[in-house]
Amino acid sequence: MQEKKLAGEEAVQYIKEGMILGLGSGSTVYFTLQKLGELIKNGLLIKGVSTSNSTTAICQELGIPLIPINEVERIDLTIDGVDEVDNQFNGIKGGGGALLFEKVVASISEKVIWIADSSKLSQNLGNFPLPVEIIPFGYTHVLKKLESQHLNPKLRMKQNEVYKTDSGNYIVDLHLNAIENVNQLSSFLKNITGVVEHGLFINVVDTLIVADQEHVKTTNVK
Ligand code: 5RP
């Protein structure tokens, strides 16, 4: 918790007056939002584009003004969490189920900052199950296709019901242990009819902020 707080609060220094901000989702971003809420109370003017219903709810509580994504030309800066990041600075996201909106927001952002606790770092991606968002119609066939490729798909459940994303889709988590070729896997998944998006974020992050105990390390990737 302390590492998430440190990383989440560190990112706030990149926020400048007048920015349109992409606001990620999850327990690390929560600390960014808390700090951002304080700055707004003290007069900072920004507008946020939310990546999930849960982030929208937190923003409403904290008085962070939001603007619909379709009303912005671009996003100046997005701050988001990550589930796993490798030494090439590629990541897996979607543990919280918001991968689709997070990827759309990242794709129109000038700069993307990921904030992470030290447990998120790994040599190669795949320790964290890879989320894949799929449409409900025909989902059993998508599962079969993933099974036939030995990708160990597990339909995500929540309280004995199939988990639904903010878009009403399902998530399949691929238990891979190791991903040999992220680009190949990305193309394979994107080519399956019924797959909306996957949680591989390749060549997306500009700045990575990682908290390790009481130390915070910032890496400018691009
Ligand atoms: C949600 C995400 C989150 O960014 C990711 O799960 C990290 O979450 P946390 O900060 O709670 O560890 O991708 O879809």
Side-chain angles (χ1 to χ4, degrees):
M1 189 59 85
Q2 186 60 18
E3 289 185 356
K4 285 179 190 262
K5 187 168 188 288
L6 277 177
E9 292 183 349
E10 181 76 10
V12 170
Q13 63 179 289
Y14 294 86
I15 298 174
K16 304 282 179 257
E17 178 84 4
M19 276 185 164
I20 308 264
L21 291 174
L23 302 172
S25 302
S27 56
T28 318
V29 164
Y30 172 81
F31 292 107
T32 308
L33 296 177
Q34 293 288 334
K35 262 270 174 293
L36 178 58
E38 283 171 26
L39 294 176
I40 286 168
K41 278 201 181 78
N42 291 327
L44 177 76
L45 291 173
I46 59 93
K47 281 183 181 150
V49 174
S50 174
T51 55
S52 63
N53 292 344
S54 61
T55 289
T56 299
I58 296 168
C59 289
Q60 283 165 350
E61 213 172 279
L62 296 172
I64 299 172
L66 295 177
I67 183 166
I69 189 164
N70 293 325
E71 290 178 19
V72 301
E73 284 294 313
R74 41 122 196 76
I75 291 170
D76 296 300
L77 168 67
T78 285
I79 301 172
D80 205 348
V82 62
D83 294 303
E84 187 177 2
V85 56
D86 69 9
N87 50 18
Q88 305 293 305
F89 304 104
N90 294 320
I92 288 180
K93 285 181 51 53
L99 66 135
L100 177 59
F101 291 0
E102 289 172 339
K103 206 177 255 193
V104 173
V105 165
S107 75
I108 59 161
S109 298
E110 298 272 304
K111 183 178 165 83
V112 175
I113 297 177
W114 282 347
I115 46 181
D117 58 89
S118 57
S119 72
K120 307 290 180 62
L121 297 178
S122 76
Q123 292 283 95
N124 295 299
L125 294 181
N127 287 321
F128 193 89
L130 175 64
V132 180
E133 184 156 347
I134 64 174
I135 60 166
F137 184 84
Y139 77 93
T140 54
H141 300 280
V142 174
L143 276 170
K144 272 185 212 148
K145 192 159 275 175
L146 295 168
E147 265 156 18
S148 73
Q149 296 298 313
H150 311 290
L151 293 173
N152 281 326
K154 300 268 178 303
L155 188 64
R156 192 180 293 186
M157 306 292 289
K158 192 177 179 187
Q159 287 155 357
N160 284 331
E161 296 203 359
V162 181
Y163 174 86
K164 279 198 181 161
T165 67
D166 289 349
S167 300
N169 292 317
Y170 294 168
I171 286 191
V172 172
D173 292 300
L174 306 182
H175 293 256
L176 301 168
N177 295 322
I179 300 173
E180 274 175 30
N181 186 326
V182 285
N183 288 302
Q184 213 172 35
L185 182 59
S186 167
S187 306
F188 172 76
L189 294 171
K190 288 290 275 188
N191 275 324
I192 299 175
T193 304
V195 167
V196 182
E197 195 45 85
H198 59 69
L200 281 171
F201 281 55
I202 301 169
N203 198 23
V204 169
V205 71
D206 295 284
T207 299
L208 175 66
I209 298 174
V210 180
D212 191 349
Q213 296 182 20
E214 69 274 19
H215 301 290
V216 178
K217 187 177 170 199
T218 299
T219 309
N220 289 315
V221 178
K222 292 183 190 165

